[in-house]
Amino acid sequence: MLTYPNENSIIIIVWQILLLFVGLFDKNRINIILCGGFFTMSRVYNFSAGPAVLPEEVLKEAAEEMLDYKGCGMSVMEMSHRSKVYDSIIKGAEKLFREIMNIPDNYKVLFLQGGAHAQFSAVPMNLMKNKKAAYIVTGQWAKRAYQEAQQYGEAVAVASSADKTFSYIPDCSDLDIPEDADYVYICENNTIYGTKFWELPNTKGKDLVADVISCFLSEPVDVTKYGVIYGGVQKNIGPAGVVIAIIREDLIRDDVLPGTPTILKWKTQADADSLYNTPPCYGIYICGKVFKWIKKMGGLEAMKTLNEKKAKILYDFLDQSKLFKGTVEKKDRSLMNVPFITGNDELDAKFIKESKAAGFENLKGHRSVGGMRASIYNAMPIEGVEKLVEFMKKFEEENS
């Protein structure tokens, strides 16, 4: 029996065809006449700290595969995580991730849930053999991890930058690390305050655990310098809901703290290849596409070069501006998160309002510190930063 496409299927087909030719249209505004209607698709410059901007190429490819992934007749959102099709997705994602990060064979890669906050508990539960750990507190999230660890043992704050509102990274070359500490913990890039560890701390032989959520895949990393690297993907890799952990195999053991939930025991997920329970399937699928995009762009060396160029454009302007100023010590500035202020709350609010109207979204600083913050992750195009600086120059001229 012959079947004929209905109106909805025709719209979908036409839309998919248009997606193929989307490069012919203006990059940030596409006007489409479809089925007698006039539609405008707008892409703003999204400076959100997370969830954050993703590569347009990835979003378009995911849109094309939304209803039918590679001829299987269903969306990735709909398929079983035990199916052969999804098995190829998650294994392919891990393979690409290992390749671009150059992860040694003696490290496991786990796709987890629960956000970084779940790992604030999982880290001490899995690693505290002597029930003591050293924490370097350089921001809100390191502070929360430190506070959480106190529930499971003795967490010692061996360094902090709280005395200057976390605007710098303390000297970590000769810390007083307890001899019986099980690990040293850092948040490597501080999303709220815009600081970055450009030199890893001297852990004096202790395993280094790093939350890298806001600098994940922004530059090459020597994985062997860490015992554990973990981070949520929602800032630089994919949609919210996925945590990726890279853990040296000797740290994945059965002898965890008593009372550790099965789901927070790293060995549970390692033994099950991240499939002990239903994983965040669609999020992992998008991560795989981002890994593919990063490889296509030239890998992490290329990401670092691009990120340095973008950050330089913005920092150079801030350093010469008479209205705007950065809030971080220059030596510790992040390439990913750039906080800045005018010094006047009313002027800050005016800038945020006018920038939004001009197509620059999510420049308001974190509620705990105020001011402004531009998060310029991998997928933020360089022209987005250039246009932001142009707008800031205009705003300064009009409000000096």
Side-chain angles (χ1 to χ4, degrees), residues 110-129 148 151-152 228 230 243 245 247 251-271 276-277:
L110 304 181
F111 294 103
L112 307 171
Q113 300 181 68
H117 282 73
Q119 297 308 305
F120 293 171
S121 296
V123 167
M125 285 177 166
N126 284 271
L127 296 182
M128 270 191 174
K129 312 307 176 189
E148 188 70 15
Q151 298 189 52
Y152 307 104
V228 179
Y230 79 87
V243 171
I247 308 171
L251 299 178
I252 301 174
R253 295 163 23 186
D254 276 317
D255 57 330
V256 297
L257 291 184
T260 297
T262 302
I263 199 65
L264 291 183
K265 185 177 176 182
W266 290 335
K267 196 171 188 303
T268 300
Q269 291 287 11
D271 288 348
Y276 174 76
N277 62 326

Side-chain angles (χ1 to χ4, degrees), residues 167-363:
S167 60
Y168 71 102
I169 298 295
D171 180 6
C172 297
S173 60
D174 188 21
L175 299 174
D176 186 16
I177 298 172
E179 290 186 6
D180 56 347
D182 292 299
Y183 59 89
V184 176
Y185 183 102
I186 63 171
C187 180
E188 192 163 329
N189 188 92
N190 295 285
T191 319
I192 295 175
Y193 303 96
T195 58
K196 169 76 163 66
F197 278 85
W198 290 111
E199 183 177 349
L200 294 177
N202 177 3
T203 65
K204 299 184 177 178
K206 307 302 179 185
D207 289 316
L208 179 63
V209 177
D211 172 356
V212 299
I213 185 170
S214 53
C215 60
F216 226 160
L217 298 186
S218 64
E219 60 180 346
V221 172
D222 183 353
V223 175
T224 64
K225 291 183 178 180
Y226 305 78
V228 179
I229 300 172
Y230 79 87
V233 306
Q234 69 269 21
K235 299 181 185 295
N236 221 12
I237 305 175
V242 184
V243 171
I244 302 177
I246 308 165
I247 308 171
R248 204 175 63 232
E249 287 182 342
D250 63 290
L251 299 178
I252 301 174
R253 295 163 23 186
D254 276 317
D255 57 330
V256 297
L257 291 184
T260 297
T262 302
I263 199 65
L264 291 183
K265 185 177 176 182
W266 290 335
K267 196 171 188 303
T268 300
Q269 291 287 11
D271 288 348
D273 295 325
S274 301
L275 292 168
Y276 174 76
N277 62 326
T278 306
C281 298
Y282 197 79
I284 295 169
Y285 155 78
I286 295 294
C287 289
K289 291 194 175 296
V290 173
F291 302 153
K292 178 183 174 184
W293 175 78
I294 290 174
K295 181 179 178 180
K296 177 183 175 182
M297 293 289 289
L300 297 187
E301 285 288 356
M303 290 294 103
K304 180 183 179 183
T305 299
L306 177 61
N307 290 327
E308 287 175 339
K309 287 180 180 177
K310 291 186 294 186
K312 186 177 188 303
I313 292 168
L314 185 49
Y315 283 127
D316 282 354
F317 169 72
L318 290 172
D319 289 342
Q320 61 83 41
S321 173
K322 291 180 173 57
L323 177 64
F324 298 99
K325 65 177 182 178
T327 59
V328 174
E329 290 191 12
K330 289 185 179 181
K331 67 180 178 62
D332 300 320
R333 284 172 164 175
S334 167
L335 297 181
M336 298 286 96
N337 310 102
V338 184
F340 57 96
I341 58 174
T342 65
N344 180 293
D345 290 344
E346 290 184 3
L347 209 51
D348 286 353
K350 183 180 181 183
F351 175 82
I352 292 165
K353 181 179 179 180
E354 292 186 6
S355 64
K356 180 179 176 65
F360 304 100
E361 287 283 350
N362 297 306
L363 283 168

